[in-house]
Amino acid sequence: MNKAIGRYRWTICGLVFFATTINYLDRVVISLLKGDLEKEFNWTETDYANLVVVFQLAYAVGMLGVGRLVDKLGTKMGYTISLTAWSIVGVLTAFAKTTFGFGVARAALGLSEAGNFPSAIKTIAEWFPKRERALATGIFNSGTNVGAILAPLTVPFIAEFWGWQWAFILTGATGLIWLVLWLTVYDTPARHKKVSQEELAYINSDQDEQAAEENDEKVSWFKLLTFRQTWAFVLGKMLTDPIWWFYLFWLPAFLKAEYGLGGMEAAAPIAIVYTIASVGSIFGGWLPLNFIKNGMPVFKARKTSMLIYAICAVPVVFAQYLGSMGLWLAILSIGLATSAHQAWSANIFTTVSDMFPKKAVGSVTGIGGMAGALGGMAISSLAGKLFDHYKGLGHIETGYYIMFIICGFGYLLAWGIMHLLVPKYRAIELSSPKEPVKVA
């Protein structure tokens, strides 16, 4: 079937995958240089947490605005502006001379990196029918793991031989290479010369979306916030995104605090965690597709899969206990948890394009991304205070024990809230200004 209808949409998915890889490569550099920067700038755990919070606050603000911008300008220009900006900021971070300077750089990075996911989700919505979107999202979202894998394998090496400044410069510059490919290759399906009529018809095969897109009315944030579907996505992101932020920014610190691993010594454990997470990301997209192929409705397949992933995240509550028996038991339990998150993430993103017309996908994704970043700020502040407190008592492991409990049960809570808000599938109908707004 794929041979008959064409496969160029997967080339576009590959481009989005590489953009997401670069996005996370730039994002996690600071977590791997934490030890070096703590010595040079005399940071405490709270200082580091504050830098994470600054990034997340700017990311939240950026998410709210950039989703709207992407809906207005389109994915090609939205991605171009965002990636150019975050690449330049990544390079300029190398020239920060004070903690305040790092704060400014991290804020600018958060603001510019916010464009990745609204652009990516909108691209997938434009290029894939609903049945394939979770798989496509899982594939591009696995770029978050690849970026997190490449970082510990390259950043400590660069820092050791050339200095931490070059780690920021070289990782930031990689985005400019992708930009050339994006500007050369990308266009919308209807205008792309390499998309056959058969593949275009397949991409546009969801009849409910075709009807929704006939109305070109612009959609306000206030109107979007009147729908339960919006709040289901927003609260789901607010409760689960912070868990990923915690793994992303504190895993290297956990390995240092618990096992004395730093720099290149931590590279293998971190790479293994995110390799496992990559498997979860792709499996997370495959499972609902398999359910759909076996006759399960799309929305039910999505929710059933998400419940399975939420349950798979629970065993991380034992990470601290297992870690007391050996490093690799902790790594495997955290790896399972990150895998469950990525599987969850592939599907929660896709719920937006399941329920909303394409013209609103960027905006809703941005609102949810903002909520996730605000939740990330809260968990980073909590982690910084907990770790400083228990480090002072000589029992920092207690702080990690508390955080792993939060991480383990967050997904079940999120799934329950989302199910209460949207128990059954209902596509959003965006009424004209003269009609009353319906709360679904």
Side-chain angles (χ1 to χ4, degrees), residues 297-314:
V298 172
F299 194 66
K300 185 177 180 180
R302 199 87 66 216
K303 290 181 70 174
T304 302
S305 300
M306 291 174 71
L307 178 59
I308 293 170
Y309 307 145
I311 294 170
C312 288
V314 174

Side-chain angles (χ1 to χ4, degrees), residues 187-250:
D187 207 341
T188 58
R191 293 200 299 260
H192 210 293
K193 296 179 180 179
K194 294 190 177 181
V195 177
S196 66
Q197 290 299 315
E198 292 79 9
E199 185 171 15
L200 182 61
Y202 180 68
I203 290 169
N204 295 324
S205 60
D206 295 306
Q207 295 181 0
D208 59 329
E209 286 195 339
Q210 290 304 302
E213 293 305 317
E214 288 176 2
N215 180 3
D216 291 330
E217 173 198 345
K218 300 301 180 183
V219 189
S220 71
W221 288 315
F222 297 106
K223 187 171 185 178
L224 292 172
L225 290 173
T226 64
F227 295 102
R228 291 182 182 179
Q229 288 90 333
T230 303
W231 285 104
F233 178 69
V234 166
L235 294 175
K237 292 286 284 180
M238 180 176 282
L239 289 169
T240 57
D241 273 16
I243 298 171
W244 179 253
W245 289 105
F246 174 72
Y247 295 138
L248 191 68
F249 288 116
W250 296 96

Side-chain angles (χ1 to χ4, degrees), residues 147-340:
I149 292 167
L150 290 176
L153 297 177
T154 56
V155 169
F157 177 85
I158 295 169
E160 183 169 335
F161 289 96
W162 295 322
W164 62 263
Q165 292 90 344
W166 277 102
F168 285 106
I169 292 171
L170 294 178
T171 54
T174 56
L176 302 177
I177 299 172
W178 178 90
L179 188 62
V180 174
L181 286 173
W182 178 253
L183 292 173
T184 303
V185 171
Y186 186 82
D187 207 341
T188 58
R191 293 200 299 260
H192 210 293
K193 296 179 180 179
K194 294 190 177 181
V195 177
S196 66
Q197 290 299 315
E198 292 79 9
E199 185 171 15
L200 182 61
Y202 180 68
I203 290 169
N204 295 324
S205 60
D206 295 306
Q207 295 181 0
D208 59 329
E209 286 195 339
Q210 290 304 302
E213 293 305 317
E214 288 176 2
N215 180 3
D216 291 330
E217 173 198 345
K218 300 301 180 183
V219 189
S220 71
W221 288 315
F222 297 106
K223 187 171 185 178
L224 292 172
L225 290 173
T226 64
F227 295 102
R228 291 182 182 179
Q229 288 90 333
T230 303
W231 285 104
F233 178 69
V234 166
L235 294 175
K237 292 286 284 180
M238 180 176 282
L239 289 169
T240 57
D241 273 16
I243 298 171
W244 179 253
W245 289 105
F246 174 72
Y247 295 138
L248 191 68
F249 288 116
W250 296 96
L251 179 58
F254 168 74
L255 295 175
K256 181 69 174 178
E258 293 284 315
Y259 305 102
L261 300 179
M264 288 186 286
E265 293 176 321
I270 294 172
I272 288 173
V273 165
Y274 290 112
T275 299
I276 297 172
S278 293
V279 174
S281 184
I282 297 172
F283 176 80
W286 173 85
L287 183 61
L289 178 61
N290 188 60
F291 285 153
I292 294 166
K293 286 181 177 179
N294 284 285
M296 188 179 289
V298 172
F299 194 66
K300 185 177 180 180
R302 199 87 66 216
K303 290 181 70 174
T304 302
S305 300
M306 291 174 71
L307 178 59
I308 293 170
Y309 307 145
I311 294 170
C312 288
V314 174
V316 80
V317 301
F318 302 108
Q320 189 69 37
Y321 171 73
L322 293 171
S324 67
M325 294 186 284
L327 164 66
W328 294 107
L329 290 176
I331 291 301
L332 290 175
S333 62
I334 295 171
L336 176 62
T338 57
S339 180

Side-chain angles (χ1 to χ4, degrees), residues 223 227 429-439:
K223 187 171 185 178
F227 295 102
E429 296 179 5
L430 296 172
S431 56
S432 66
K434 295 181 180 179
E435 298 173 334
V437 175
K438 299 177 181 180
V439 179

Side-chain angles (χ1 to χ4, degrees), residues 91-172:
V91 172
L92 293 178
T93 304
F95 301 96
K97 301 297 182 183
T98 63
T99 302
F100 177 79
F102 264 96
V104 172
R106 294 302 289 179
L109 186 68
L111 193 65
S112 53
E113 282 202 341
N116 183 73
F117 280 96
S119 298
I121 297 301
K122 191 174 180 68
T123 299
I124 297 303
E126 289 176 344
W127 276 87
F128 289 85
K130 287 183 179 180
R131 73 189 71 177
E132 290 184 341
R133 284 178 194 166
L135 179 58
T137 301
I139 290 172
F140 95 70
N141 196 46
S142 68
T144 62
N145 308 307
V146 175
I149 292 167
L150 290 176
L153 297 177
T154 56
V155 169
F157 177 85
I158 295 169
E160 183 169 335
F161 289 96
W162 295 322
W164 62 263
Q165 292 90 344
W166 277 102
F168 285 106
I169 292 171
L170 294 178
T171 54

Side-chain angles (χ1 to χ4, degrees), residues 27-162:
R27 188 177 302 189
V28 302
V29 170
I30 194 169
S31 68
L32 294 161
L33 297 176
K34 180 173 179 283
D36 295 332
L37 297 174
E38 279 178 339
K39 292 177 183 177
E40 182 154 345
F41 296 97
N42 202 26
W43 291 346
T44 64
E45 294 289 342
T46 301
D47 289 331
Y48 176 71
N50 288 339
L51 288 173
V52 175
V53 168
V54 164
F55 174 88
Q56 291 166 327
L57 176 60
Y59 190 83
V61 173
M63 270 286 188
L64 189 61
V66 79
R68 189 75 169 175
L69 186 67
V70 170
D71 278 338
K72 183 177 181 180
L73 298 180
T75 48
K76 185 170 187 175
M77 187 55 64
Y79 239 143
T80 298
I81 293 172
S82 179
L83 197 136
T84 301
W86 92 57
S87 297
I88 292 172
V89 170
V91 172
L92 293 178
T93 304
F95 301 96
K97 301 297 182 183
T98 63
T99 302
F100 177 79
F102 264 96
V104 172
R106 294 302 289 179
L109 186 68
L111 193 65
S112 53
E113 282 202 341
N116 183 73
F117 280 96
S119 298
I121 297 301
K122 191 174 180 68
T123 299
I124 297 303
E126 289 176 344
W127 276 87
F128 289 85
K130 287 183 179 180
R131 73 189 71 177
E132 290 184 341
R133 284 178 194 166
L135 179 58
T137 301
I139 290 172
F140 95 70
N141 196 46
S142 68
T144 62
N145 308 307
V146 175
I149 292 167
L150 290 176
L153 297 177
T154 56
V155 169
F157 177 85
I158 295 169
E160 183 169 335
F161 289 96
W162 295 322

